[in-house]
Amino acid sequence: MNNPASSPANSGDTPRYPVTELTHVELQLASWCNRSCSFCPSGKYPVAKALMSLETVERILVGLEKIAFTGTVGLHLMCEPFLNKQIVEIIRRFRTRLPQTFIRLETNGEPIKNMKKLGEAFDAGLNEALINCYGSPEQFRNRADQLLELNKSRKNMWFFNQYQDWPPGPPSTWEVVRLRAFHSDDYDLSSWAGLVERPNKPELPLPLSCNRPFRNLHINYLGQAVLCSMDWKYEVVFGDVMRQDVEGILNAPLMVAYRNNLTVKNRCMPVCERCDKGMPVARKPGYPPVDPWTIPRKYWIRAKRLYWSVINGLGK
């Protein structure tokens, strides 16, 4: 294996990473998930059950404010985010301090129960919630009915499955819910860097690059900057927000080495050498329509957008 710190791709005159290139920050609000699915590393090995503290959240906020971050904040890194009882307060702090960011999360929906918590999250400033239905088609239908009912009292909420399209307006003002049909164990998603058995294993390491160390910053519940969402065991730690600023972490020698190696499609590095991300996936979960009128709604919305874009163009 090549040592990333001594790889030929790691030159000493690498320019500093421009913080404007950072588009996604993912946070691990809890160290665990309440489910163990065949296609996910959760439950495959023991972990301490702990939550990201508000002190850590504050350090992250200070760091992102310093670089004027306006990208996407994901609150679901390797966890079920609603296990953190302070999630609404965390969302509110991000919305208040970083008003132009797009705040999203992915959840299995089980801690939400009657969707009341979801409404509170939107009130705090959440922009998108992707809810996975791991149970059955009946569970999907029941949750779809709950969301249709919630939509009656939340006129700004956009239920993606009703339209199969995104809402108008700036993303930082959205209240989008997507309901994903994930109620099967035969998805061929990823081996998660060897933590999950996957059929038709490719020959590793793959001769592919990866944009995650170039665009993303992944921070675990301790405040450590880890390689990516494949690094469930925190094998590659670039820095710590409790002791360093975001720009310093993004320019850490180890992170620079990973980017340099991936630039030349060299994955001979810890975690990357076992990763099959980038290979074709046989079967993915989808976003089924909620009724027979979903597709006509989608094309009606697109026709209206086209009409108004033409009218606005003629008015210039």
Side-chain angles (χ1 to χ4, degrees):
M1 183 203 310
N2 291 343
N3 184 330
S6 59
S7 167
N10 182 30
S11 61
D13 57 353
T14 302
R16 286 186 67 78
Y17 177 88
V19 293
T20 52
E21 294 293 309
L22 181 66
T23 60
H24 289 73
V25 174
E26 291 192 12
L27 310 181
Q28 187 185 35
L29 298 193
S31 64
W32 80 105
C33 177
N34 56 309
R35 291 187 60 92
S36 179
C37 301
S38 64
F39 44 78
C40 176
S42 177
K44 305 295 188 293
Y45 56 92
V47 296
K49 292 185 177 181
L51 304 174
M52 179 177 283
S53 68
L54 290 180
E55 179 186 6
T56 303
V57 171
E58 177 64 22
R59 288 290 302 170
I60 295 167
L61 277 166
V62 169
L64 294 178
E65 283 179 316
K66 187 175 179 179
I67 65 171
F69 181 70
T70 59
T72 296
V73 176
L75 304 176
H76 50 268
L77 177 64
M78 302 181 289
C79 75
E80 166 50 54
F82 279 100
L83 292 175
N84 192 318
K85 303 303 182 184
Q86 295 178 306
I87 185 170
V88 172
E89 175 60 23
I90 292 170
I91 293 170
R92 183 176 293 110
R93 291 190 184 194
F94 271 92
R95 175 54 62 222
T96 302
R97 305 266 291 275
L98 299 168
Q100 296 183 61
T101 54
F102 184 80
I103 306 173
R104 69 181 304 271
L105 58 79
E106 298 183 15
T107 173
N108 59 49
E110 294 178 8
I112 301 176
K113 304 300 181 186
N114 62 359
M115 299 294 172
K116 179 182 177 182
K117 199 74 173 178
L118 185 60
E120 293 175 358
F122 279 129
D123 287 336
L126 183 68
N127 297 122
E128 183 198 353
L130 190 164
I131 304 176
N132 291 308
C133 287
Y134 293 117
S136 64
E138 290 73 27
Q139 183 193 54
F140 180 92
R141 183 69 259 170
N142 290 337
R143 285 188 177 158
D145 290 342
Q146 284 182 308
L147 290 169
L148 289 169
E149 189 63 30
L150 180 64
N151 213 164
K152 292 178 182 177
S153 60
R154 299 193 67 86
K155 300 302 181 183
N156 291 333
M157 193 186 92
W158 182 275
F159 187 16
F160 181 90
N161 301 66
Q162 279 183 287
Y163 310 101
Q164 303 287 294
D165 206 347
W166 297 103
S172 60
T173 66
W174 289 358
E175 290 186 11
V176 176
V177 182
R178 289 195 291 162
L179 193 59
R180 185 160 60 171
F182 220 148
H183 42 257
S184 178
D185 283 341
D186 62 345
Y187 294 109
D188 182 29
L189 301 181
S190 169
S191 71
W192 297 91
L195 295 177
V196 174
E197 285 296 320
R198 178 181 176 179
N200 305 315
K201 295 180 182 177
E203 185 177 345
L204 300 174
L206 296 176
L208 296 175
S209 185
C210 178
N211 66 2
R212 294 187 180 192
F214 295 87
R215 301 288 184 181
N216 298 12
L217 179 62
H218 302 81
I219 304 175
N220 69 13
Y221 75 98
L222 296 167
Q224 296 172 330
V226 298
L227 178 59
C228 68
S229 57
M230 302 293 164
D231 192 5
W232 282 65
K233 293 186 176 182
Y234 318 145
E235 296 177 55
V236 182
V237 176
F238 297 119
D240 190 331
V241 297
M242 305 305 287
R243 296 191 294 270
Q244 299 166 270
D245 61 23
V246 170
E247 186 172 6
I249 292 172
L250 292 172
N251 285 283
L254 184 58
M255 199 165 194
V256 171
Y258 267 78
R259 285 197 292 265
N260 287 344
N261 276 284
L262 290 171
T263 296
V264 294
K265 301 181 180 181
N266 174 19
R267 288 195 181 188
C268 294
M269 302 172 288
V271 180
C272 291
E273 64 182 349
R274 308 190 306 268
C275 181
D276 59 358
K277 201 69 175 176
M279 292 298 293
V281 173
R283 183 166 180 254
K284 292 182 180 180
Y287 303 88
V290 294
D291 60 39
W293 296 101
T294 299
I295 302 303
R297 284 193 205 101
K298 175 177 73 172
Y299 287 111
W300 173 241
I301 289 168
R302 291 185 179 181
K304 287 199 296 184
R305 285 178 179 167
L306 178 60
Y307 171 78
W308 285 113
S309 66
V310 170
I311 292 299
N312 289 336
L314 292 175
K316 291 182 179 179

